[in-house]
Each structure stands twice: as structure tokens, then as C-alpha cells.
């Protein structure tokens, strides 16, 4: 080796040597800059410290991304909706607004007197209003009902607020969709490449597993742990695969029938939860509209009843599911995913049931006067604000529950376990670090935010603050009160799965929004869509104002003559890509077989060599 | 590189071109400090007749050139084989593999794999790499495995 290098050096001229040293110093500078910039990433240090101890699916970077996403959504809604309203309302920059009286509407539909607090009120009224979004909060920009402007005039430019409201809603939904798809594509590619049964995964991990560039003892510790976890996970999965392959037919039958039975139980539990949420919402709506009820605590309890029932359901159902799934005998990774899916379904569907029961109350119409408005104008003169209030209550209650659980359950538990050495307490032990719970919390909160932003444009700001605070609380709680999960889990595939579930949440958020915008008549007493039948009607109205040529183009795009061929073309493109992916997979298989062949050839040659050497 | 090496020598020996740095000093280098294979690296690159694993400047340069970017894969796999061969018998047998895995998962009792897991892991490794099925991995088998490993070149690298 030394001789090779010495011969090299002899032939290098002075210029080449200088080039070599300068490129080396440049490389060094670049690597130092990279290290510095990694320190600037938000929360990177915190995430590393958590990674170091638990080395598990890092949902905490997701918290950071959601913070950012919610902040961007808030900026979007603020700049396009709130800012013009405020500017024109207060006449800044020589602006004014126009409130068009809606035509063809019965006068009784337009009566809306939100009872902002007048005169001297008790202090706790403010607290109640803060927690439930009524009273003084109802008339602020927090809720839909404030934006009762039809057009804002900035000197000579007119700003169509209803259209802006609708378009901003679509914009933030599209933004969230794009962001999730972009992140899941990265995860999908990574998954596809690394999930394939690796040809030599064990050798690769053992011989090339240690990165010799590690200089920091802490980083070395992290690497040791991650290597240990990876090896353990691989070995466990292999053991399970063997066990599954060795099952006899009789065992298979037993397991499948058991699984079907357990799924039926799961369905029964789910329907039970949904029915109780429905009853609770109906009860809460009926009793909170009773103005004579001045008992503060009872009123608050009734207001928060749906949130309480949902939280209870979200707490009990996962316990039941994790108990049941132990009987179903799946591999650990699949177990986690299935439980997560079921719990996610409970959470998201409970929001859906809440909204559905609200709508059934809102659209319940038995008098002719009510039918003229299209919705229950007596109880819900401004129903969008009511829905916004429910979403606001859900979010606040979620926030309170997370803080309360951490403060009043985790810390005392840790204190009990460390100081009291009685047997039942020790057996109960510390809470394990449950990834599923944290993932569920994030997805639940985010879905509420997505649905609620249409009805309450300031909700993303609240969500941003909430995620920020929750991150630090959970980090402290994690460091001090949790112990690592008994089963090691792989990070990369869980990451992709988490994004898929998030996508499900977003799609589920589309449905209530779509129904609210397009199907249910908008309230005539408040909001930017008073003069329209439904919120969606503002778009056709705007289109009618375009020049005829553009109108014709837009009409043709929306017609069937365009939609059906477009759909067929999309299907063809999809088939093409699927066929391409299949072809690539076949090529990979063939190459792999070639490699196996080569090693056999080598084996043959080595044998020949050893034989020849013997003679 | 000479600057780094001379920092490790005590002051009076700095002018001596054939001075040797004892192993304990070498191990204070940041690049080697956190490495679980530090002892093996010193042993492999040391040309000392006393067997005390001390490195002269030429040994030091050897080590750096093997771990640099410009070393070929052949050279790297050759030296990697020698580093992983804990009992220096020219083949990687079960005991060598066991020690290797223990180095990777870290020091301390709770970071080791259980005996059953170790058995399973070593079985898998031998299945994947032992071509002539003699229960050990010799140099050519090792180089064969390394040539198909995508991460080896990027991980077997030390940059001063």
C-alpha cells in the first residue's frame, strides 16, 4: 500500500498537489458549514435527545411541520379574509364596505342578535365565554358570523369577500393535500426501496453498519442503540414469519374465525360509541339553548358534553382494541397498524357523528316559516357560528385534556412508582411510550383544525399555539415519566403509514366541508353568503359576471362532454404507470436471480481452485 | 496529518522521525475515541515488534490512507477483514462474528443480544455469505459480500 502511494506522489506535479490540498480544505469547510446549519433547524436538538433515548418513530418532527402548516393556513385566511374586513370596517386607507340586503328572503330569517355582554356581568361569564366561544367571543372575528360584508371597496378597487372566503377555504385544503402528498411520496419511495426483502440485509448491517466517521460519544451511543434495535426487529420479524408459515390448517381456521368474531365485537363497540355521541350532542343542543339556565357549572358541563363523551370514547375504545388484538396473533408491526387504524376510525368518525347530529338538528324543519329559510332559524339564526363554536370547544377541550393528563396522571404516577414500594403500584408501573396515542392526538387535532377553519378563521392560530405548547409538555413528560416501549418498532415504514392515515383524515375533512358548502343553505342573517342560497352559489354567480367567451369555456369544462374523456385519459395514464412499475419490479427480480447465479458460479470456481491447490 | 500525529507525541520526541506513539495516546484522537473497533485498528496497523500496538508516523499514515476516500474497495475490504478478525486466524468464524456483533450493539449488559438472537443472527450471516459452507468466512467470501453491500464504502471512512 505504501509503495502505491509513494509512486503516486512522485508523479504529481506542484500544481496538482496544490489543487489537492485546496479541494481537501474546501471539503472540510463544507462539512463544517453543514454541521452548523443542522443546529439551526428548529427543535433538532430536542428531537435528537428524544431519539437518543427512545429511537423510535419520530413523530415530533411532525409536530413541528404541523405548527408550520397551521401557521401558513392562518396567514392565508388572515390576509385574504380578516384583513380586508378589518380594513374596510374601520375605514383605513380610505376604504368602505357594502352590505347588500338580500332579496327574495323572508324577513324573519334575517334576525340575528348575538348577545354580546352588555352592562355589568359576572367575571365567570367571561371565563365561560372564553371556554365555549359564546358571548363576547361570538361577535369577534373568531367566528364566521363576523364577516357579514358583501364587498369591500379600497378606493376604486372592489374586493369580493364571499368569493375570497370560499377560495381561501379551497386554497388551504389544496395546500394541505399537496403538502401531505409531497411528504408521503418521499416516504413511499424510501419505503419501496428499503422494504424489499434485502438480498443481504444482515451482512450489510453487520459489516457495513458502523459509520467510522462518528466522533462524538453521544452520537456513538445513539448509533449503538439504533443498530441494536434494527437487528432485534429484523430477527423478531423473521421468527414470526417462520411461526406463521408453520401453522397447520386447523390452526389457521381457528385463527380466522377468531378474527372475524373479534371484528364483530369491534363493530359493536364502535356503534355503541357513535350512538352515545349522537345522543349527547342532541341533548347538549337542546339544553344549551335554554337561556334561563344560569347555573354556571351546569351550563358549561352541558355545553361541553359532546366533547366529554368523545374524549371518553377515544379513551376507552383504544384500551378495548389493544386488549382484543392480543388474541388475533398478528406480527407486531401489523398489530400496531391495525390498532392505530381502528382508533383513528373511532376518532375521526366521532367528529363526523358530532357534525351529523348537529346538522340533523339544524335542518330539522316542521313549520312553513322554517321551510322558507331552509334551516331552523329560531334556534340557529347563524348556524355556521354554532358549528364553529363546537369545533372551537373540541379543540380547547383537547388541549386541556392533554395538559391535564400530563400534569395529573403522568407525574403523580411517576412519583408513586418511585416512592411507594407497595406491590400493586410497582406492578402497574410507568406508562410506556405509546406512539399510537401521540399519533392519534395529532391527527385528531389536525382534522378538527381543517374542518373548523371554514367556520372559524382564527382556529389555525389556536392550533399553532397548541402544538407548540404540547410539544414541550410532551417532551418533558417523555423524559421524566415514561419508559421505553417493550417492543422495538421500525421507524421508516411507520412514518409512511402515519402520512397515509393523515391523508385519510384530510379526505374525511373534505366530506363535512363539502356538505356544508354545497348542500346546506347558508344562514341569511350573518356571514358573507347571505345573498346566496348555498355557500357554493357564489361561484356560479361570479362566473356569470365573466365575459361570454370565458363563460363558455368554463361551462364546457364542467360539462359531461369534457369530464368523461378526461376521466378516461386519467385512467389510461394510471394504467401505464402501473404497468411500468410492474415491469421495473420484474427487471429487479431478474437481476437478483442473476446475482444468485453468479454466486453459485463463484462457488463452483472456488471449489475447483481448492481442488487444484490440493494436487 | 503530521501535525495531528506530532500533537500526540511528548515534546522531547517530536524531532525524532521514528518515534512511536503508545496506544493510549492514539485512542485519544477524536476520530477513534468513539469507535468500538479502536483496539483492533491499532493492532492491525501497528508494525511494532513489541506487540504493544504503538504506531509510528508511517503506520499512522497507512491507517489514514486506508480509511480515506481514495482507497480502493479491495484495499478497504482487505483491511476490514483484518480488523474484524478478532483472533487473527485469517478467517471469520463464529466467535469473531459474535464479538463483532457485541462491538456493534454497544458495551454493557443490557445492550447485548440474547444468546438465541445471537445464534439466529450468526446463522443468517453465514447463510448469506459463506459460499463454501465451511462455517467460516474467508477473505474472498468477505470481499464478495462487501462488493455487493451498498453502504460499505460510505461507512468505512475516516476524515481528519
Amino acid at each position: 500500500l505504501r509503495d502505491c502511494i509513494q509512486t503516486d506522489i512522485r508523479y504529481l506535479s506542484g500544481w496538482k498537489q496544490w489543487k489537492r490540498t485546496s479541494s481537501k480544505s474546501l471539503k472540510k469547510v463544507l462539512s463544517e458549514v453543514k454541521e452548523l446549519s443542522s443546529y439551526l433547524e428548529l427543535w433538532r436538538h430536542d428531537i435528537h435527545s428524544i431519539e437518543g433515548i427512545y429511537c423510535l418513530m419520530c413523530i415530533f418532527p411532525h409536530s413541528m411541520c404541523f405548527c408550520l402548516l397551521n401557521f401558513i393556513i392562518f396567514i392565508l385566511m388572515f390576509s385574504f379574509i380578516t384583513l380586508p374586513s378589518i380594513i374596510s370596517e374601520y375605514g383605513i386607507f380610505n376604504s368602505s364596505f357594502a352590505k347588500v340586503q338580500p332579496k327574495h328572503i323572508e324577513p324573519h330569517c334575517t334576525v340575528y342578535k348575538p348577545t354580546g355582554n352588555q352592562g355589568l356581568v359576572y367575571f365567570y361569564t367571561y371565563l365561560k365565554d372564553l371556554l365555549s366561544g359564546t358571548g363576547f367571543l361570538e361577535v369577534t372575528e373568531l367566528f364566521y358570523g363576523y364577516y357579514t360584508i358583501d364587498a369591500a371597496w379600497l378606493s376604486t378597487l372592489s374586493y369580493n369577500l364571499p368569493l375570497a372566503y370560499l377560495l381561501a377555504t379551497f386554497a388551504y385544503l389544496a395546500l394541505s393535500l399537496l403538502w401531505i402528498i409531497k411528504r408521503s411520496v418521499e416516504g413511499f419511495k424510501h419505503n419501496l426501496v428499503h422494504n424489499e426483502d434485502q438480498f443481504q440485509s444482515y451482512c450489510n448491517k453487520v459489516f457495513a453498519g458502523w459509520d467510522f466517521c462518528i466522533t462524538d460519544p453521544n452520537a456513538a451511543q445513539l448509533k449503538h442503540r439504533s443498530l441494536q434495535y434494527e437487528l432485534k426487529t429484523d430477527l423478531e420479524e423473521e421468527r414470526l414469519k417462520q411461526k406463521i408459515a408453520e401453522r397447520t390448517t386447523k390452526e389457521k381456521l381457528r385463527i380466522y374465525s377468531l378474527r372475524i368474531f373479534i371484528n364483530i365485537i369491534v363493530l359493536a363497540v364502535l356503534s355503541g360509541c357513535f350512538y352515545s355521541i349522537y345522543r349527547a350532542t342532541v341533548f347538549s343542543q337542546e339544553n344549551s339553548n335554554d337561556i334561563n339556565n344560569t347555573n354556571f357549572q351546569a351550563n358549561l358541563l352541558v355545553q361541553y358534553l359532546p366533547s366529554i363523551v368523545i374524549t371518553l370514547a377515544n379513551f376507552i375504545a383504544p384500551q378495548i382494541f389493544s386488549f382484543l388484538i392480543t388474541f388475533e396473533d398478528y406480527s407486531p408491526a401489523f398489530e400496531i397498524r391495525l390498532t392505530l387504524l381502528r382508533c383513528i376510525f373511532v376518532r375521526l368518525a366521532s367528529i363526523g357523528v358530532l357534525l351529523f347530529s348537529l346538522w340533523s338538528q339544524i335542518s330539522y324543519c316542521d313549520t312553513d316559516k322554517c321551510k322558507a329559510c331552509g334551516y331552523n332559524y329560531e334556534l340557529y339564526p347563524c348556524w355556521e357560528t354554532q358549528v364553529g363554536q363546537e369545533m372551537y370547544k373540541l379543540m380547547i377541550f383537547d388541549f386541556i385534556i392533554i395538559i391535564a393528563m400530563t400534569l395529573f396522571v403522568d407525574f403523580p404516577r411517576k412519583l408513586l412508582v418511585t416512592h411507594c414500594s407497595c406491590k400493586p403500584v410497582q406492578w402497574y408501573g410507568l406508562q410506556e411510550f405509546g406512539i399510537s396515542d401521540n399519533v392519534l392526538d395529532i391527527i385528531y387535532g389536525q382534522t378538527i383544525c381543517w374542518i373548523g377553519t371554514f367556520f372559524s378563521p382564527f382556529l389555525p392560530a389556536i392550533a399553532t399555539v397548541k402544538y407548540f405548547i404540547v410539544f414541550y409538555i410532551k417532551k418533558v413528560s417523555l423524559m421524566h415519566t415514561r419508559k421505553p416501549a417493550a417492543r422495538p418498532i421500525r421507524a421508516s415504514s411507520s412514518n409512511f403509514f402515519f402520512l397515509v392515515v393523515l391523508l385519510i383524515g384530510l379526505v374525511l375533512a373534505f366530506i363535512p366541508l363539502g356538505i356544508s358548502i354545497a348542500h346546506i343553505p347558508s344562514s341569511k342573517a350573518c356571514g358573507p353568503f347571505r345573498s346566496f342560497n348555498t355557500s357554493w352559489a357564489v361561484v356560479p354567480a361570479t362566473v356569470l359576471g365573466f365575459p361570454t367567451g370565458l363563460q363558455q369555456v368554463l361551462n364546457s369544462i364542467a360539462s359531461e362532454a369534457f369530464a368523461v374523456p378526461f376521466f378516461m385519459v386519467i385512467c389510461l395514464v394510471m394504467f401505464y404507470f402501473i404497468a411500468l412499475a410492474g415491469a421495473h419490479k420484474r427487471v429487479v427480480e431478474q437481476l437478483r436471480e442473476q446475482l444468485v447465479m453468479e454466486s453459485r458460479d463463484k462457488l463452483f470456481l472456488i471449489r475447483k481452485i481448492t481442488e487444484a491447490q490440493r494436487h | 496529518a503530521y501535525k495531528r500525529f506530532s500533537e500526540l507525541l511528548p515534546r522531547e520526541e517530536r524531532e525524532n522521525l521514528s518515534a512511536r506513539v503508545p496506544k493510549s495516546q492514539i485512542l485519544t484522537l477524536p476520530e477513534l475515541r468513539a469507535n468500538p473497533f479502536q483496539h483492533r485498528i491499532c493492532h492491525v496497523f501497528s508494525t511494532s515488534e513489541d506487540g504493544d500496538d504503538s504506531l509510528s508516523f508511517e503506520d499512522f499514515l497507512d491507517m489514514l490512507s486506508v480509511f480515506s476516500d481514495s482507497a480502493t474497495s479491495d484495499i478497504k475490504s482487505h483491511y476490514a477483514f483484518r480488523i474484524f478478525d478478532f483472533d487473527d486466524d485469517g478467517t471469520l468464524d463464529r466467535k469473531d462474528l459474535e464479538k463483532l456483533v457485541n462491538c456493534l450493539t454497544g458495551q454493557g449488559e443490557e445492550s447485548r443480544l440474547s444468546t438465541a438472537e445471537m445464534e439466529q443472527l450468526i446463522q443468517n450471516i453465514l447463510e448469506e455469505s459463506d459460499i463454501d459452507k465451511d462455517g467460516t468466512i474467508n477473505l474472498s467470501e468477505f470481499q464478495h459480500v462487501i462488493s455487493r453491500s451498498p453502504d460499505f464504502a460510505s461507512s468505512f471512512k475516516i476524515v481528519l
Side-chain angles (χ1 to χ4, degrees):
Chain A
L1 179 68
R2 229 173 283 163
D3 300 330
C4 296
I5 297 180
Q6 276 178 349
T7 42
D8 262 347
I9 295 176
R10 241 179 274 147
Y11 286 117
L12 275 177
S13 67
W15 164 251
K16 284 214 179 119
Q17 274 195 1
W18 179 84
K19 232 171 62 169
R20 200 181 261 195
T21 41
S22 66
S23 72
K24 254 194 254 180
S25 44
L26 186 68
K27 266 189 221 164
K28 198 167 176 189
V29 163
L30 277 174
S31 65
E32 281 188 26
V33 165
K34 247 194 213 169
E35 240 187 80
L36 275 176
S37 63
S38 76
Y39 283 137
L40 294 175
E41 266 184 50
L42 186 62
W43 293 337
R44 198 175 180 92
H45 174 70
D46 295 314
I47 293 168
H48 271 317
S49 54
I50 297 173
E51 243 184 55
I53 301 187
Y54 294 105
C55 193
L56 296 170
M57 178 173 111
C58 296
I59 58 149
F60 294 95
H62 290 297
S63 278
M64 170 187 89
C65 289
F66 278 121
C67 245
L68 205 61
L69 179 72
N70 282 327
F71 190 63
I72 294 177
I73 293 179
F74 169 65
I75 297 283
L76 192 76
M77 298 295 274
F78 186 75
S79 43
F80 283 108
I81 300 174
T82 317
L83 212 56
S85 311
I86 297 181
I87 290 181
S88 54
E89 195 104 341
Y90 292 106
I92 318 172
F93 300 134
N94 213 1
S95 57
S96 61
F97 60 93
K99 268 193 181 169
V100 176
Q101 270 303 98
K103 317 167 191 87
H104 314 298
I105 305 289
E106 306 293 325
H108 61 261
C109 296
T110 61
V111 170
Y112 174 55
K113 292 193 193 52
T115 48
N117 291 322
Q118 291 125 351
L120 285 172
V121 289
Y122 286 112
F123 167 71
Y124 61 71
T125 326
Y126 283 113
L127 194 63
K128 167 176 159 277
D129 290 338
L130 198 66
L131 286 175
S132 57
T134 48
F136 79 93
L137 274 183
E138 198 167 335
V139 292
T140 57
E141 293 95 327
L142 183 61
F143 291 115
Y144 175 96
Y146 175 81
Y147 303 95
T148 323
I149 306 174
D150 287 289
W153 294 90
L154 194 63
S155 36
T156 43
L157 298 165
S158 101
Y159 185 78
N160 191 348
L161 191 72
L163 189 65
Y165 201 100
L166 204 63
L167 287 182
T169 308
F170 291 152
Y172 85 71
L173 286 174
L175 185 72
S176 313
L177 186 68
L178 281 173
W179 177 83
I180 294 179
I181 289 183
K182 174 174 164 287
R183 287 187 59 121
S184 52
V185 160
E186 289 164 8
F188 184 64
K189 279 193 218 156
H190 186 262
N191 216 26
L192 207 56
V193 168
H194 287 250
N195 226 13
E196 294 283 329
D197 233 349
Q198 275 210 348
F199 187 34
Q200 284 179 308
S201 56
Y202 288 106
C203 280
N204 192 33
K205 283 197 185 105
V206 169
F207 293 135
W210 183 262
D211 187 3
F212 280 66
C213 280
I214 294 179
T215 56
D216 181 31
N218 286 332
Q221 193 71 332
L222 285 180
K223 188 78 185 170
H224 281 308
R225 286 233 171 77
S226 77
L227 275 171
Q228 184 192 4
Y229 273 130
E230 256 195 75
L231 287 172
K232 275 201 166 140
T233 325
D234 279 343
L235 290 171
E236 178 146 1
E237 271 186 29
E238 198 190 324
R239 275 199 296 265
L240 261 147
K241 267 193 215 156
Q242 253 188 330
K243 204 178 97 178
I244 291 178
E246 283 168 6
R247 279 202 200 126
T248 62
T249 327
K250 193 173 123 189
E251 272 185 27
K252 274 194 199 161
L253 255 166
R254 187 184 72 89
I255 288 208
Y256 283 141
S257 51
L258 190 63
R259 283 182 191 169
I260 293 178
F261 178 63
I262 290 185
N263 277 317
I264 295 179
I265 297 182
V266 163
L267 280 173
V269 166
L270 284 174
S271 10
C273 290
F274 294 155
Y275 183 68
S276 47
I277 294 173
Y278 176 73
R279 295 287 330 151
T281 316
V282 167
F283 179 78
S284 157
Q285 289 294 317
E286 281 169 6
N287 289 31
S288 62
N289 285 320
D290 186 3
I291 319 170
N292 293 332
N293 193 354
T294 48
N295 188 351
F296 171 57
Q297 285 100 331
N299 203 349
L300 204 60
L301 195 69
V302 165
Q303 293 260 3
Y304 267 88
L305 197 62
S307 323
I308 295 175
V309 171
I310 290 183
T311 311
L312 270 175
N314 289 339
F315 181 68
I316 296 177
Q319 311 276 357
I320 300 181
F321 292 151
S322 17
F323 173 68
L324 284 175
I325 203 159
T326 48
F327 296 114
E328 293 191 54
D329 207 13
Y330 290 118
S331 69
F334 190 72
E335 252 186 46
I336 292 181
R337 284 185 199 176
L338 194 60
T339 321
L340 199 63
L341 261 177
R342 286 179 180 157
C343 299
I344 281 285
F345 185 65
V346 170
R347 288 216 181 200
L348 296 180
S350 50
I351 305 180
V353 169
L354 173 71
L355 289 170
F356 171 74
S357 33
L358 269 178
W359 281 321
S360 61
Q361 292 276 304
I362 291 171
S363 331
Y364 175 66
C365 250
D366 48 1
T367 63
D368 279 334
K369 269 178 131 189
C370 167
K371 284 206 180 66
C373 297
Y375 56 92
N376 194 344
Y377 70 94
E378 288 165 36
L379 292 176
Y380 304 103
C382 190
W383 63 266
E384 285 99 341
T385 308
Q386 300 277 44
V387 178
Q389 281 168 348
E390 285 296 327
M391 295 288 118
Y392 174 77
K393 279 187 266 188
L394 276 179
M395 180 157 278
I396 298 281
F397 193 66
D398 194 35
F399 186 40
I400 293 176
I401 285 287
I402 292 180
I403 296 183
M405 286 290 283
T406 317
L407 281 178
F408 298 124
V409 173
D410 287 339
F411 279 106
R413 199 165 166 181
K414 159 100 178 181
L415 282 172
L416 267 180
V417 171
T418 43
H419 294 290
C420 167
S421 46
C422 46
K423 257 230 166 126
V425 172
Q426 288 294 338
W427 172 77
Y428 199 39
L430 289 174
Q431 182 99 356
E432 270 188 15
F433 174 56
I435 294 177
S436 351
D437 299 325
N438 293 300
V439 166
L440 289 176
D441 280 337
I442 292 183
I443 296 183
Y444 176 68
Q446 194 55 38
T447 311
I448 295 179
C449 185
W450 277 324
I451 297 180
T453 306
F454 177 70
F455 303 106
S456 160
F458 267 54
L459 213 58
I462 302 176
T464 310
V465 170
K466 174 185 160 203
Y467 280 130
F468 201 75
I469 297 179
V470 161
F471 174 75
Y472 282 109
I473 292 180
K474 289 228 159 146
K475 177 181 170 233
V476 167
S477 133
L478 192 60
M479 295 297 209
H480 296 287
T481 63
R482 303 282 179 111
K483 64 177 190 218
R487 279 217 194 108
I489 336 167
R490 206 190 297 273
S492 54
S493 48
S494 316
N495 234 353
F496 171 64
F497 180 68
F498 167 69
L499 285 167
V500 166
V501 177
L502 196 63
L503 198 63
I504 296 178
L506 181 63
V507 168
L508 245 68
F510 281 157
I511 299 178
L513 278 179
I515 297 182
S516 307
I517 292 179
H519 189 68
I520 301 186
S522 51
S523 39
K524 306 291 178 288
C526 65
F529 302 110
R530 290 173 312 147
S531 12
F532 305 100
N533 255 343
T534 62
S535 313
W536 170 256
V538 73
V539 169
T542 327
V543 168
L544 283 173
F546 286 162
T548 349
L550 194 57
Q551 261 189 59
Q552 277 184 341
V553 169
L554 287 172
N555 278 335
S556 63
I557 290 181
S559 69
E560 291 94 16
F562 179 77
V564 170
F566 182 67
F567 180 67
M568 285 178 56
V569 167
I570 296 264
C571 280
L572 279 172
V573 169
M574 204 168 65
F575 276 133
Y576 168 70
F577 278 118
I578 292 177
L580 200 66
H584 279 304
K585 215 172 181 179
R586 269 195 299 273
V587 169
V588 166
E589 288 292 325
Q590 278 179 356
L591 286 173
R592 210 177 278 171
E593 269 175 44
Q594 268 190 11
L595 279 172
V596 172
M597 281 294 185
E598 253 185 58
S599 77
R600 276 197 217 135
D601 289 344
K602 218 174 183 178
L603 173 65
F604 175 71
L605 286 172
I606 288 176
R607 261 200 227 124
K608 284 282 178 187
I609 288 177
T610 43
E611 274 177 32
Q613 276 178 348
R614 257 185 245 140
H615 298 315
Chain B
Y2 185 67
K3 224 193 300 181
R4 298 294 298 273
F5 186 75
S6 58
E7 278 165 18
L8 296 172
L9 281 176
R11 204 159 270 275
E12 56 280 2
E13 294 195 39
R14 290 236 172 116
E15 303 307 312
N16 188 355
L17 281 178
S18 56
R20 306 193 78 95
V21 174
K23 183 164 157 189
S24 46
Q25 284 284 73
I26 295 282
L27 295 182
T28 59
L29 274 176
E31 287 83 6
L32 288 183
R33 197 171 43 195
N35 203 315
F37 301 110
Q38 38 184 233
H39 301 282
R40 288 296 310 162
I41 293 177
C42 286
H43 183 82
V44 164
F45 286 102
S46 162
T47 54
S48 136
E49 293 92 32
D50 311 330
D52 61 352
D53 290 347
S54 58
L55 297 184
S56 70
F57 183 58
E58 287 175 342
D59 298 335
F60 190 67
L61 273 185
D62 267 347
M63 182 180 80
L64 289 181
S65 59
V66 166
F67 280 113
S68 74
D69 271 331
S70 26
T72 63
S73 152
D74 265 345
I75 295 178
K76 283 196 196 230
S77 53
H78 179 93
Y79 275 92
F81 185 75
R82 284 180 63 191
I83 291 176
F84 291 153
D85 189 9
F86 282 81
D87 47 11
D88 284 327
D89 60 355
T91 58
L92 294 179
D93 58 7
R94 294 190 100 101
K95 290 205 203 53
D96 290 329
L97 289 174
E98 200 175 315
K99 285 203 200 121
L100 174 62
V101 171
N102 281 331
C103 275
L104 281 179
T105 57
Q107 313 306 322
E109 277 312 305
E110 72 278 355
S111 57
R112 301 210 170 169
L113 298 181
S114 69
T115 339
E117 284 173 345
M118 185 69 78
E119 268 306 307
Q120 190 187 354
L121 181 59
I122 294 181
Q123 192 60 37
N124 283 328
I125 295 176
L126 286 175
E127 251 178 61
E128 286 172 3
S129 52
D130 193 8
I131 300 180
D132 53 6
K133 303 281 180 260
D134 60 354
T136 65
I137 305 178
N138 59 28
L139 180 61
S140 31
E141 287 162 357
F142 184 76
Q143 284 183 325
H144 182 67
V145 164
I146 291 297
S147 66
R148 278 178 291 155
S149 158
D151 300 327
F152 183 73
S154 52
S155 59
F156 203 72
K157 182 166 69 167
I158 294 181
V159 180
L160 258 192

